[in-house]
Amino acid sequence: RSAADVCVICMFSGVLQVMDSSGVSPGLLHIKLLTLVLMLGFSLLCGFSPVCVTRRATRFSSDPGSRQRVLSLASCLACGVFLASCLLELLPDFLNHMRDTFSRLHITLRFPLSEFLLAMGFLLVFVLEQMLLAFREQTCEASLEKQALMDCEDRDAVHRSRTVEDGRSHLGLRVFLLLFCVCVRAFLEGLSLGSRRERLLEECVTLLLYKGLLAFSLAVRLSHLALRRTLLSGALLLFSVACPGGIGMGMGMGLDGTETGAQLLRCAVEGLTAGIFLNVSLLGSLRQESGSPGHRIHKVAFLLTGFALVTAVLFCKV
């Protein structure tokens, strides 16, 4: 059995064990179970479809430049999706949760805690990158004397290989942070949906479309970064399982959303995730795509298209 099948079986078994004691009506339970299955299947379909299309196009296309242009434009669309997800969905939800949580506790904040959490998440990416570079520099100090004995051509080759390795280190860190943010956000949204008891059908349809769009954008972005096949498949599988896992845990635990400790922890995680996601979207993906030459008007059009798609999906919640 695949990992996805094992995860679905575990989630179903946990839900069925608490079905009688959770107090949830059978209608709501059936909707949530159907959403869990559809969410997993639709996310996998939207995630692996562009990967398969890209590989087939590469196999039958004789012009590698056209493939790179298509991937670059599709990656701009993904950047628009990520940017809109951060500015229109993640940030407002985090600020609303912070305000509701402290209002429920009857606490008036004199300190901008929400902005502080966002700043900490934003700066965390910079700190991790600098620590990674510092570690790389320390490991390369031992080879300085050896490079001094090389001729100019060998020294230039070593310098170019080191530059490539530093770029890959930055890329690997940002890919990990991007995957971490989207998976954590998907899990939290699934957790909220699993404990929801009103307006369930509308929320399920909206979340299904939104997660499919995110899975497509994540697959396009990782394909454009030339990630290895096993890592790409693992990343898409992890993202596809995150939201159904949250739904199953929310149904099994029977959370009602009023636990103070859980709400404070969620606010902290959402704030740090939003700051990290904002840094990765603006200073990582968007800067990389806007800095590459050629087809700039088309890139702007695709970026705005991705932003508009997320806006349309979120507008369905109103």
Side-chain angles (χ1 to χ4, degrees):
R1 292 177 179 175
S2 63
D5 295 335
V6 174
C7 293
V8 172
I9 292 174
C10 293
M11 287 185 287
F12 268 114
S13 61
V15 170
L16 293 175
Q17 288 177 0
V18 297
M19 184 166 44
D20 296 332
S21 59
S22 60
V24 181
S25 63
L28 292 179
L29 185 63
H30 293 160
I31 293 176
K32 291 179 181 179
L33 290 176
L34 181 61
T35 304
L36 189 150
V37 176
L38 290 177
M39 188 74 66
L40 179 62
F42 192 62
S43 298
L44 290 173
L45 178 63
C46 295
F48 283 97
S49 294
V51 177
C52 296
V53 171
T54 302
R55 289 175 183 171
R56 287 183 177 272
T58 303
R59 185 179 303 173
F60 296 104
S61 177
S62 59
D63 185 13
S66 61
R67 174 181 177 271
Q68 290 298 325
R69 286 193 296 270
V70 172
L71 279 178
S72 180
L73 294 176
S75 183
C76 289
L77 187 142
C79 291
V81 170
F82 292 144
L83 186 62
S85 300
C86 183
L87 297 179
L88 303 182
E89 200 262 344
L90 184 54
L91 282 177
D93 281 357
F94 162 63
L95 296 176
N96 289 333
H97 288 160
M98 286 286 293
R99 182 173 59 252
D100 295 341
T101 300
F102 284 95
S103 297
R104 192 181 301 115
L105 295 175
H106 304 287
I107 296 177
T108 302
L109 291 175
R110 304 293 182 181
F111 179 78
L113 183 59
S114 303
E115 292 77 6
F116 176 77
L117 290 175
L118 288 174
M120 290 298 100
F122 192 89
L123 293 174
L124 180 62
V125 182
F126 175 76
V127 172
L128 291 177
E129 285 183 343
Q130 296 304 311
M131 292 177 61
L132 184 61
L133 288 176
F135 177 77
R136 295 284 305 173
E137 291 174 356
Q138 289 180 358
T139 56
C140 293
E141 286 180 358
S143 61
L144 291 178
E145 296 181 358
K146 181 179 179 181
Q147 293 179 19
L149 300 177
M150 297 179 181
D151 55 15
C152 294
E153 294 182 358
D154 293 338
R155 196 178 306 166
D156 292 339
V158 171
H159 178 72
R160 285 194 299 268
S161 64
R162 184 184 302 173
T163 303
V164 172
E165 290 178 357
D166 291 340
R168 290 177 179 175
S169 300
H170 278 279
L171 180 61
L173 177 62
R174 290 193 172 271
V175 166
F176 170 76
L177 292 177
L178 175 63
L179 181 63
F180 170 79
C181 291
V182 294
C183 289
V184 168
R185 181 58 184 170
F187 178 80
L188 292 178
E189 286 181 330
L191 196 64
S192 298
L193 184 63
S195 59
R196 183 182 290 270
R197 296 173 184 243
E198 56 183 9
R199 294 190 62 188
L200 186 60
L201 186 58
E202 297 85 349
E203 189 72 21
C204 290
V205 174
T206 304
L207 189 61
L208 185 66
L209 295 175
Y210 179 56
K211 292 307 169 187
L213 187 59
L214 275 181
F216 176 83
S217 302
L218 182 64
V220 168
R221 183 62 186 161
L222 296 182
S223 298
H224 182 57
L225 296 176
L227 207 63
R228 285 186 297 181
R229 182 177 301 180
T230 54
L231 295 178
L232 178 59
S233 301
L236 294 177
L237 180 62
L238 181 61
F239 173 75
S240 300
V241 172
C243 189
I247 296 175
M249 183 172 292
M251 295 171 62
M253 296 176 63
L255 298 175
D256 57 359
T258 59
E259 294 84 357
T260 302
Q263 287 299 311
L264 290 175
L265 179 61
R266 172 169 182 165
C267 289
V269 172
E270 283 185 342
L272 293 175
T273 303
I276 294 173
F277 200 13
L278 188 62
N279 189 311
V280 173
S281 300
L282 288 179
L283 301 184
S285 304
L286 189 59
R287 184 178 62 179
Q288 179 183 1
E289 295 300 331
S290 62
S292 59
H295 306 283
R296 295 189 179 275
I297 303 301
H298 297 86
K299 291 179 180 180
V300 172
F302 272 83
L303 188 143
L304 294 178
T305 301
F307 197 96
L309 287 175
V310 176
T311 304
V313 172
L314 295 179
F315 187 76
C316 297
K317 289 185 177 181
V318 181

